[in-house]
Amino acid sequence: GRAPGQMCKIPKTEHFEIPTPALGCLLMSFSNDGRWLACGCVGKDSHPILVYSIPDGTHHHTLTGHYNILYDLKWYKQSLLSASSDCTARVWRNGKQEKQMAHPSF
């Protein structure tokens, strides 16, 4: 990790490529500790969230359940919150859905 106030070193070489469904990835979110990357993707029939470990890029989880465009991904401690235009917000932990909540879609 970085010390407070330490400059961020941006890599100059590609370390790995993240495979996504054919229709791509709309949003990404790094965990607060920088060890995980969540990618909100667009699949043919669903909108999966792919979770990778950083820095090696190993795929760990495919989170399924959303059936429309993902609006946002936010990490809180070891949990991931996702919000979608399918009128749901979901809490995920360790590759499994812990909670589903209704929310308005605008």
Side-chain angles (χ1 to χ4, degrees):
R2 267 186 313 150
Q6 182 181 5
M7 294 288 290
C8 180
K9 295 178 183 177
I10 299 173
K12 295 180 181 179
T13 58
E14 182 179 299
H15 289 271
F16 58 87
E17 186 173 314
I18 297 173
T20 62
L23 298 175
C25 175
L26 296 177
L27 64 149
M28 302 168 90
S29 179
F30 284 96
S31 62
N32 296 328
D33 62 8
R35 296 177 56 204
W36 302 98
L37 175 64
C39 304
C41 300
V42 180
K44 184 178 177 184
D45 298 318
S46 68
H47 294 259
I49 301 166
L50 307 179
V51 180
Y52 298 90
S53 62
I54 301 298
D56 63 359
T58 301
H59 175 255
H60 283 268
H61 304 292
T62 298
L63 311 176
T64 58
H66 286 297
Y67 294 99
N68 218 329
I69 293 173
L70 289 156
Y71 287 145
D72 206 359
L73 297 170
K74 294 290 181 194
W75 291 91
Y76 178 74
K77 297 184 181 179
Q78 298 298 315
S79 295
L80 177 67
L81 173 67
S82 60
S84 169
S85 63
D86 64 8
C87 297
T88 65
R90 298 167 191 255
V91 178
W92 310 87
R93 187 174 173 91
N94 298 322
K96 297 179 182 171
Q97 180 179 302
E98 284 193 335
K99 189 171 187 176
Q100 176 178 327
M101 300 156 283
H103 82 86
S105 181
F106 301 99

